[in-house]
Amino acid sequence: MKILVIGAGGREHAICQQFLKSPKVNELYCAPGNGGISQIATNVNISVNEVNDFSKLVDFAKENGIDFTFVGPEIPLSLGIVDYFEANDLKIIGPPKDGARLESSKVYSKGFMRKYDIPTAEYSHFSDINDALRFLDKCKKDQKIVVKADGLAAGKGVYVCSGREKAKNAVSQIMNYKILDPAAGKSIIIEEYIDGPELSYLIFTDGISYSIMPASQDHKRINDNDQGPNTGGMGAYAPAPLAIADDLNKKTETIIRKIINGIKAEKINYKGILYVGLIVKDSCPYVLEFNCRLGDPETQAVLPLLDTDLTDVCVAILNKELGTLKIDWRKKFSVSVVLASSGYPEEFETGFEISGLENINDEDTIVFHAGTKFESGKFFTCGGRVLSITSMADNVKSAIDKVYSNVRSVYFKNMHYRRDIAWRALNE
Ligand code: GLY
């Protein structure tokens, strides 16, 4: 089989690594890929921006006889890569543009949740700044309020505000386009704040059936104890013990069934991954957000636990036969720690040599590259999130000990990582 993966991050390295385990894969390509991916697959010579020029990718897939393409990030999905490939008779894993709206428009996704009775925070949406500010004037002064940009904002579109004035400031920042891409900030959601731990459920679906992966938890803040600004994610672990407590997996499955039924009712030909981000309050799950692709860094923790051939899962999705496939998971705990460039998610320096990777050689530890490049036989940093290191073990504590002992053997200048990934799992 010849497979093309779209993307350039740690998530795509984990996807490639999983495909590589399959005896059915004889050629693996990644567009554009990264330094680490270049060691296990052929990077397609295309820039990150050109990934959104689908004609080049289609030409590549046709010229190289690609059997199917797997899309990692949300932007090509939101721009309709799946529709474009299918119009060119190419097979591709991912939702079409109308399905990707579940992630690319928060107004659409909240409307979907309301329509299909999916538990979520109470909200209002606005496309006029004065209406939004008037609405906030009626809120209590010290009320915690969440303001969200409608569109994709690379993790920067959500403001958790400690009072009315801060929320008004967030509305102005978003709607006056001071921070975000104008398209992302044209409409906003103002919603009730729900306090509680978050859970990520990644789901394979062919739009008819679905299969839920082990629940995971991301760590969004840059520093230990969940301090500092939000990032793309500084680490993750799976399965999350919280999901097993209080019947949460069962309660969540009821929600997921409603979501899949809603997708069917909307006549969306959804094939690929659905990511349901939840917040748990008083043992009840509420949907925070949908993503239409695998999470990063959750994927680096979850996919290594997959025991079934990923190509079999993809073929079942493409043939709409997912309901007939039994998907197995390793009975292990997995912890993944992100090594970032100091300064991320703001300004940071790059170009530093990465050393010590050769010291990592136990079979239950994997290094996934994100912001790296490979030059003259060496790896160098070239991004904010540089590497993820994932270790698996029979219990969370051993997985934590193993991953941090491996993290300590890697070095690059200005390396920053959290030392408390999976802390919640130890306390539950
Ligand atoms: N880890 C959150 C995300 O992938 O959006």
Side-chain angles (χ1 to χ4, degrees), residues 299-361:
T299 303
Q300 293 91 305
V302 173
L303 267 197
L305 296 171
L306 178 63
D307 228 359
T308 300
D309 187 326
L310 184 58
T311 64
D312 289 343
V313 179
C314 291
V315 169
I317 289 174
L318 290 166
N319 293 339
K320 295 212 169 267
E321 289 171 350
L322 190 63
T324 63
L325 184 73
K326 183 170 174 299
I327 299 181
D328 295 317
W329 296 91
R330 297 175 73 185
K331 304 252 172 306
K332 294 238 177 197
F333 283 87
S334 168
V335 177
S336 188
V337 177
V338 170
L339 310 189
S341 303
S342 182
Y344 169 78
E346 310 295 339
E347 301 280 299
F348 53 83
E349 285 180 76
T350 59
F352 301 122
E353 187 181 337
I354 303 168
S355 59
L357 291 172
E358 67 285 357
N359 300 329
I360 298 181
N361 45 30

Side-chain angles (χ1 to χ4, degrees), residues 126-357:
F126 301 91
S127 46
D128 181 290
I129 186 166
N130 294 318
D131 289 346
L133 296 175
R134 271 195 293 275
F135 174 87
L136 286 171
D137 275 332
K138 290 187 211 129
C139 296
K140 287 194 204 115
K141 189 164 165 271
D142 297 327
Q143 187 177 336
K144 254 189 156 178
I145 299 167
V146 183
V147 181
K148 293 179 174 175
D150 176 47
L152 294 177
K156 294 190 177 135
V158 177
Y159 296 71
V160 178
C161 308
S162 54
R164 188 174 65 198
E165 291 312 311
K166 290 218 164 96
K168 285 166 86 171
N169 193 36
V171 168
S172 303
Q173 297 281 337
I174 297 173
M175 295 191 92
N176 288 330
Y177 312 141
K178 291 217 175 100
I179 292 196
L180 302 172
D181 173 351
K186 274 195 174 143
S187 299
I188 55 160
I189 295 280
I190 298 180
E191 79 178 20
E192 162 202 24
Y193 172 76
I194 299 180
D195 194 17
E198 294 182 22
L199 274 176
S200 305
Y201 280 85
L202 308 177
I203 300 150
F204 293 115
T205 179
D206 57 9
I208 302 164
S209 305
Y210 59 88
S211 179
I212 305 172
M213 306 183 209
S216 52
Q217 261 182 330
D218 184 7
H219 297 61
K220 294 207 171 83
R221 303 294 185 126
I222 185 78
N223 293 324
D224 288 3
N225 301 317
D226 293 330
Q227 300 298 307
N230 268 338
T231 67
M234 292 300 292
Y237 65 100
L242 172 68
I244 297 150
D246 293 328
D247 255 2
L248 261 182
N249 273 337
K250 259 198 188 154
K251 290 175 190 165
T252 304
E253 174 137 25
T254 308
I255 294 175
I256 290 169
R257 204 171 305 121
K258 281 188 188 179
I259 298 168
I260 300 296
N261 286 340
I263 286 172
K264 274 191 238 167
E266 294 295 312
K267 301 200 179 356
I268 297 169
N269 185 18
Y270 203 110
K271 289 182 275 78
I273 311 295
L274 179 70
Y275 167 137
V276 182
L278 298 175
I279 194 148
V280 182
K281 187 181 176 197
D282 300 332
S283 307
C284 290
Y286 296 84
V287 175
L288 266 186
E289 62 175 0
F290 296 126
N291 294 321
C292 57
R293 37 85 195 170
L294 288 166
D296 189 336
E298 291 94 326
T299 303
Q300 293 91 305
V302 173
L303 267 197
L305 296 171
L306 178 63
D307 228 359
T308 300
D309 187 326
L310 184 58
T311 64
D312 289 343
V313 179
C314 291
V315 169
I317 289 174
L318 290 166
N319 293 339
K320 295 212 169 267
E321 289 171 350
L322 190 63
T324 63
L325 184 73
K326 183 170 174 299
I327 299 181
D328 295 317
W329 296 91
R330 297 175 73 185
K331 304 252 172 306
K332 294 238 177 197
F333 283 87
S334 168
V335 177
S336 188
V337 177
V338 170
L339 310 189
S341 303
S342 182
Y344 169 78
E346 310 295 339
E347 301 280 299
F348 53 83
E349 285 180 76
T350 59
F352 301 122
E353 187 181 337
I354 303 168
S355 59
L357 291 172

Side-chain angles (χ1 to χ4, degrees), residues 57 66 81 89 91 96 254 352 405 423:
L57 291 173
I66 297 296
I81 189 170
D89 290 327
K91 293 188 175 144
T254 308
F352 301 122
S405 115
W423 66 268

Side-chain angles (χ1 to χ4, degrees), residues 21 68 104 109-110 149 166 189 202 223 273 420:
K21 287 186 189 165
F68 68 82
S104 65
S109 70
K110 290 292 279 193
K166 290 218 164 96
I189 295 280
L202 308 177
N223 293 324
I273 311 295
D420 65 348

Side-chain angles (χ1 to χ4, degrees), residues 108-129:
Y108 174 77
S109 70
K110 290 292 279 193
F112 179 96
M113 291 182 222
R114 203 172 253 175
K115 185 168 175 185
Y116 294 101
D117 189 29
I118 291 155
T120 188
E122 287 301 324
Y123 77 102
S124 298
H125 67 93
F126 301 91
S127 46
D128 181 290
I129 186 166

